[in-house]
Structure formats: C-alpha cells, structure tokens
Amino acid sequence: MTVEEPKQNPTHALYKPNFRTERYPKNRTPWISSFEQYKAMHEQSINEPDVFWRLRASELVEFNTPFHTVCSGSLSEGNVKWFEGGKLNISYNCVDRWAEKTPDAVAIIYEADQPGGAKSVTYKELLDQVSRIAGVFKSFGLEKGDTVAIYMPMVPEAAATMLACTRLGLVHNVVFAGFSAHSLAERIRDSNSKVVVTSDQGLRGGKIIHNKKIVDEALLTCPSVTKVLVFERTGAEVPMQQGRDVSWSKALSEQNEFVPPVFVDSEDPMFIMYTSGSTGKPKGLLHTTAGYLVGVAMTARYSFDLSSGDVICSTADVGWITGHSYAVYGPLCLGVTTVIFESIPNYPDGSRLWKVVEDHKVTHLYTAPTAIRSLRRLGDEFVNCTDLSSLRVIASVGEPINPEAWVWYKSVVGKDLCPVVDTYWQTETGSHLITAIPFATTTKPGSATFPMFGIEPAILDPNTGEELTGPNVKGVLCIKKPWPSIARSILGDHDRYLTTYMHAYKGVYFTGDAAMRDEDGYYWINGRVDDVINVSGHRMSTAEIESAIIQNESVAESAVVGIEDEITGQSICAFVTLQAGLKESDQIKKSIIAKIRSEIGPIATPKNLVFVNELPKNRFGKILRRILRKIASGESDQLGDLSTVADPHSITELVARVHIML
Ligand code: WT7
C-alpha cells in the first residue's frame, strides 16, 4: 500500500489532527502522533507480521506460557491459528494484574437507567466479584469448554459474568436482552449452553423488561440447561424453579474462597456471538482466546489512543460485539475505566448521554451514527447545556456515518477539539479493520479512512473477483491476510464459514460490504451487498424476518427489504401477499407484527408493512428485491432494466399500491 496524506483536496473537507492544539494532556504524547508513524507501523504489520505481532502481544498481554508460533494457517483453508503454544487467562489480564498494580483504580463506572444511580467498581472489587461468580460456576459443576448463556441488562455484573467465564475457560454466549424467548432458545440450543445467567428484570429508558420470564419461556425448549443464576436488578418477585434457579446475591455471598484463573491455550474457544447472515439461521461465530485479546487490546490502544487514567464510554450493549470488544475486554485489558451505560441516549431527555460524559469525565466516547443523528435532531441546546470538556476522542461504529452527522459530531459535540474516529469492522472480525488513528490521520467526513495494523484490504470486481488496484475504484471489500481476532469458525457449521467468508472470492476474506477507494487511498464503506440489513446498527437478515412473517397462515409470500432511513440508517419494509380469497386487514397486520416481535424481537419490527397482490419476479420465480427496494424508496421512476420481470404489469399495479400505502 502506498498512501500519502492528501495535500489539497477539491472534493472533501479535510480535518488534520494536531494533538498540540486539540484537547490533549500537556504531559503526554499520543501513542501515534504522526501519519508517518502510522504508515511505518502499518507497513511493518504487513511486511513483517511476526515481528509486529510478537511485539504487540508482549506489550499488551501477559502469557503464562510463551507462544512459539505467531501465526499459521491460511484464510482459504479457514484454519488460521495465532500465538500457538501460548497459555494465558483473559480475566487475569483484564482484572488480576490491575487489581495487583492499581487496586483502587476504577474498572467500571455503572450509569444506571435512572439518572443519579451511578456507582463505581474498582479493579480490586471487580476481582472479588469475578472470583465469586467463578466459584458459583464451579459449584454448578461447569468445566473448561462448557458454554454459559448470558441474558442480562447493561450492568457491571454482566461484564463480571463474562470475565468469570473466561476465568475458568468457559465459553460465553451473550444474547442481547432484547431478543425474544424464541431467539434466545435457538441460541441456547445451538450453542449447547448448560447454564443461563440472567436478571429478574431489566430497565431501559424507564421501561421494564422481563428477563427472567423470557428465560423461563425459552428454557421450555432447552433441555441442556441445568442451572439459572438470577441477578437481582430490580428485586421484583420472580418465580424461581426449585433445583434449577439460583439467587445471585445468595450464591455469591456464600463464596468464600478465591478462585484462581485457569490458564488456557491461545486457540481455546473464548466466546460465541450470534449474528445474522443472508439466511434465516443466525450464525454462532466462534472467537478464540489469545488472538481476540491481542486484537482488541491493540486496537483499543491505537484506534482510540487509550491509556491508563482514561475513561471510555462505549454505548453499545454487551449483547453485541462492540460491547464485548470496546466496553469490556479492550478497555479492561489496558487497565482503563469503562462506563457501562444501562440507559438510552435520550432518556429522560436529549441531554442524557452528554450528562453521562460530564458526570464521569468521559475522555473517549464511542457510539453509533443512529444515536448521533437522533440526538442532533433534538437540537444543539441539549448538548450545549452540558460540559463536555473532558472529551478527547469521539468515535463512531456500526454503519456508514453521513458527512452531516460526522461534522455535527465533530463541531457541536467535540467543539472542533477532538478527532472523530469512524471505525469499520464486524462481529466476525473481532476488532477494527478500517479506522482513522485519532492524532495521526487526516480525516474526511464519512470515510473510515485507512486500514488498521495487520489489515490488508482489497477491493475486488464483484463479478470477476479481480482486484482493482487503482485509486477511485469501487467493488466488494475483502481482506487479504489473516489477523489475530478473526472468528475461527461458525459453531457447528465450518462449511458455512468457509463458503460465506473464505470461498466467495479466492484466497481472501469477504466482508459482505461494498467499498470505494478514492484518489487519496481513503476507504469509503458503502454498505452490505448481501441480504443483511442494518437498522440502528442492529444487524438482521431479510430471510429471518420473512420466515417469521410466513408463519402467519393468512400469508402467501413475503419479501423484506431495507430502505434508507434518515435516523436509523436503514429501516425495514415488508411486502406481503395473502392467500387467495383473503382480504387484508389491520388484524392480520397486527398479528404478523406480533409474530415478528415474538420470533426475533422488537428490533425487527418493520417500519412499513405493505399488502400487495403480487411480488415482482423473474421468469424463474425469483423475487426481484432490487425493484422492491426502489419502489419502497420512492424511486419508482428509476426502476432500471425491467426485461427480466416475468409480468411487467405487476409492477404498474405495485407502484400504484405502494404509493397509497407509504
Ligand atoms: C456490519 C457489521 C462491529 C461493529 C458493530 C456492527 C456495518 C459497521 C461500520 C462503519 C460503515 C459499518 C458494515 C458491517 N458497519 N461499522 N464504521 N462504517 N459500515 O457489527 O453487527 O457485525 O455488523 O456493520 O456493513 O459489515 P455487525
């Protein structure tokens, strides 16, 4: 890769960072303070990966037994291994070593749903709690390699539970506590989880979520689960099943022996995280120990310029990969303070997130474009009535950020004194792939800029698979070499892992996204090229939603598309045809929506549901989503080539119909 900083650029505004004039502590210098330094490190990471990663691993992670091989295997074979021969423990790295060194440093600040309910957990206290939970797990008979499902609100106890799993070499499977009982059950069964950790209830934006009740319902179809540990979040009375359900406070208080960490192999499984693909069945991505930890610690340090004493608030729930990597493991592996934010950015009003920054002197804020856009819409007063002078780096993740939102974030939230870091990555990649380096990269609003260390991107022609090497090229985004935190497999379906990621294009990892590289070598992510849609940074497959819709017996067929949405990035639009002779009604609509919510969860609720007489198909009966997407987006005048449509008259009728409905 040969990239130069853009000298002058006619098409995009440029933001050149300078830590001396931006808000930066006088007694410190950033980890990377110039573009030359970034370039030199990136070049080394690609040309001498063994040297680069050996250094990073030794700086960031303590191994109990040193590794002998940095990396082996290949993407095309899908058998990548990192830091082989090494033994380590994640919870030791994230908790014990800081509890020894700086016991009273704050590990977690808990910002509860109701304002005013914040509390701090020091590294020493966190160690005590992690050890107690591990003790409870041992009393359940759990052993290294067993899987624990976690269905909890955003509370420090959720992070402690994850860490307790890693303490014993247990594999955690955190399921976002917004998923329905059906989705939870599917994930528990697929991962063969033996224990579930949950809470009596959850609280989000003042609303009660009945976690325990949902778990009870899910477990009706999960025979593998023998114990349920119930954290008392609200203290509400919930039914407890004798012999199976255990009270958190009681069980933890009975633990009186310190539980030492179990050192595991570098490639031992660490966690499973389910995500949506192009089919109806969610994929359980399997992440392993050393590569994941080195990957998240390295990126947390360099992409955010994090050091001890800093306070990061990553607003993503621990039920998503961002919560895993940058609310829990990355920050704690670096010994910094992480804010666990239980509420939503606009509860009870549009100042909430900014008040969190003010109250806890947050130095690094990491949130999603959808939050930025919706807070922007509420007006600058909500920002300006708070003191955000602690902020040093403001970052974005989850979907492409539009330049208007980027500039607002930079100027109104960051007061033009903080770099904006747009980080592009995926559940599969474990850590950042393409991101600016805060005090080194000249940024362009809307571009994720340049590859992270160890990442060699390629833009390929989607049809021929040929690499497009020049500037100003657009195609599918792939990665050419393995990096430490790449998921190693899809649980129980390695073939699907190979076909989806490794064999779509020869010899490279396929991201599923389209991207453009501009005249200065900057990467611009254009969104998914498969049937994955992204609503407020939540990833769903159209097939998953369609299969919920089709379960309604009145429905004949359905097609779901993602359309552009000003606030949520994309929104869900469902087209439905009914069985012959049936008439559409509000009642059918309501029952379809209820089914989607119970099968997947409220996040999958369509913004629009349109009944039509016929779906546009080609001669082979394949539904033409491209056309539906255009119609739903109000671009019926730009339908393009209609020669493949089996019955062109269906389109005219569809257009007329949709215009009345939307
Ligand atoms: C998909 C991955 C890991 C982050 C949370 C979402 C989209 C993610 C960006 C960004 C443009 C982005 C991509 C990707 N995406 N970050 N900064 N700019 N697009 O993880 O649920 O696995 O979704 O989110 O389409 O493939 P995920």
Side-chain angles (χ1 to χ4, degrees), residues 19 24 27 102 119 159 215 223 265 302 323 326-327 345-346 492 536 624:
F19 73 94
Y24 205 82
N27 55 352
T102 50
K119 73 173 198 220
V215 168
D265 290 333
Y302 296 115
Y326 301 107
N346 58 356
S536 298
L624 297 164

Side-chain angles (χ1 to χ4, degrees), residues 239-405:
M240 297 287 275
Q241 188 177 310
Q242 265 266 307
R244 187 194 73 180
D245 300 350
V246 175
S247 146
W248 172 285
S249 56
K250 187 163 178 293
L252 262 69
S253 68
E254 284 165 1
Q255 289 299 317
N256 41 29
E257 257 171 63
F258 177 75
V259 177
V262 172
F263 293 94
V264 304
D265 290 333
S266 289
E267 279 297 333
D268 273 338
M270 176 183 166
F271 68 90
I272 303 159
M273 173 100 251
Y274 283 86
T275 191
S276 297
S278 346
T279 72
K281 192 177 179 310
K283 304 180 273 198
L285 288 155
L286 179 70
H287 282 278
T288 58
T289 305
Y292 175 78
L293 193 65
V294 172
V296 298
M298 187 281 283
T299 48
R301 168 174 287 180
Y302 296 115
S303 312
F304 297 146
D305 190 61
L306 265 184
S307 294
S308 58
D310 289 344
V311 180
I312 182 167
C313 176
S314 170
T315 62
D317 193 278
V318 289
W320 310 113
I321 191 75
T322 309
H324 280 51
S325 300
Y326 301 107
V328 180
Y329 292 113
L332 297 181
C333 189
L334 298 179
V336 311
T337 303
T338 180
V339 177
I340 299 270
F341 179 39
E342 189 180 28
S343 197
I344 50 177
N346 58 356
Y347 176 78
D349 64 42
S351 273
R352 180 63 187 278
L353 184 59
W354 317 124
K355 289 230 170 73
V356 172
V357 171
E358 173 177 303
D359 289 350
H360 306 305
K361 305 227 170 339
V362 171
T363 53
H364 293 69
L365 181 64
Y366 196 27
T367 193
T370 182
I372 299 169
R373 286 189 294 261
S374 60
L375 293 172
R376 173 178 180 236
R377 195 162 71 164
L378 300 177
D380 297 359
E381 315 83 75
F382 285 106
V383 188
N384 294 336
C385 65
T386 58
D387 175 5
L388 302 185
S389 59
S390 58
L391 280 180
R392 199 182 317 136
V393 174
I394 50 180
S396 169
V397 60
E399 36 167 335
I401 176 163
N402 48 309
E404 300 75 26

Side-chain angles (χ1 to χ4, degrees), residues 50-62:
D50 279 22
V51 178
F52 179 87
W53 287 111
R54 197 173 276 282
L55 253 171
R56 299 289 90 79
S58 72
E59 288 166 355
L60 295 160
V61 168
E62 261 182 55

Side-chain angles (χ1 to χ4, degrees), residues 151 179-189 214 217-218 221-222 547-548 551 595-601:
Y151 189 77
F179 277 114
S180 66
H182 174 90
S183 292
L184 173 62
E186 196 178 13
R187 286 159 172 77
I188 290 173
R189 281 195 305 266
I214 295 170
E217 194 187 327
T221 57
C222 300
S547 80
Q551 289 183 39
K595 190 71 187 168
I596 297 173
R597 293 170 72 98
S598 70
E599 283 285 298
I600 306 169

Side-chain angles (χ1 to χ4, degrees), residues 569-622:
Q570 281 188 307
S571 69
I572 300 168
C573 182
F575 292 90
V576 177
T577 63
L578 294 175
Q579 300 286 7
L582 289 180
K583 267 207 136 110
E584 63 182 79
S585 68
D586 263 1
Q587 201 202 340
I588 298 180
K589 189 168 173 174
K590 275 193 193 129
S591 79
I592 292 174
I593 289 181
K595 190 71 187 168
I596 297 173
R597 293 170 72 98
S598 70
E599 283 285 298
I600 306 169
I603 52 171
T605 310
K607 187 169 175 187
N608 294 298
L609 191 151
V610 189
F611 291 107
V612 294
N613 287 332
E614 217 178 321
L615 295 170
K617 291 184 185 160
N618 70 9
R619 290 182 189 87
F620 307 104
K622 188 176 146 64

